[in-house]
Amino acid sequence: MSPFSMLRMLGLAAILSGMVIVQASAAPALVHSEPMSGQHVAAGNVAVKLSFDTVIDPFRARLLLFGPSGAPQLLPASPTDDEQQSIATSVALAPGHYVLHWRMRARTGDPAQGTLPFDVDAITAPKPGSHP
């Protein structure tokens, strides 16, 4: 039997035996956030954006915001682009310390989660006679 025939038979046997090649998958990793961890932002409407290193399932994303009162607030978020590697939302926030808890899944189902602490500062009016 020639080497070519032997390879052909082995290939056919592999197909017939139901061998499946499993695609490697990984949990999404946060690569950028707005606000960034530890950042101070001005009170008011605060934009929140999370970007990941892989395609996420935006319909299984969960964002919980814990504010100064300690009560959790579920934030709705939407994909920001066709690649679906980012989600974004905005929320009106008063001054205080906040922690955003995020939970994501890759399209393959692999979960990831993390926390993002940040502070919201009061908007201060300029002092009379001062220059910006």
Side-chain angles (χ1 to χ4, degrees):
M1 182 177 265
S2 72
F4 179 72
S5 296
M6 181 66 120
L7 286 175
R8 220 167 114 189
M9 284 180 55
L10 286 173
L12 183 58
I15 291 170
L16 294 176
S17 68
M19 283 183 59
V20 178
I21 298 173
V22 177
Q23 182 179 5
S25 60
L30 183 67
V31 294
H32 181 74
S33 68
E34 293 174 21
M36 295 186 310
S37 182
Q39 184 176 359
H40 287 255
V41 296
N45 201 25
V46 175
V48 175
K49 182 178 178 184
L50 303 177
S51 299
F52 297 88
D53 66 346
T54 189
V55 175
I56 58 170
D57 184 348
F59 303 105
R60 294 173 64 189
R62 185 168 180 188
L63 302 178
L64 274 178
L65 184 65
F66 295 88
S69 71
Q73 179 181 359
L74 184 60
L75 301 180
S78 300
T80 62
D81 54 23
D82 290 340
E83 286 81 31
Q84 293 188 346
Q85 289 185 289
S86 300
I87 58 170
T89 191
S90 62
V91 60
L93 298 178
H97 180 73
Y98 291 83
V99 177
L100 178 68
H101 178 79
W102 57 267
R103 188 177 333 162
M104 298 295 148
R105 286 191 180 271
R107 289 273 186 202
T108 58
D110 295 320
Q113 63 182 346
T115 57
L116 180 70
F118 63 95
D119 291 287
V120 175
D121 298 330
I123 299 173
T124 58
K127 296 177 184 176
S130 66
H131 296 283

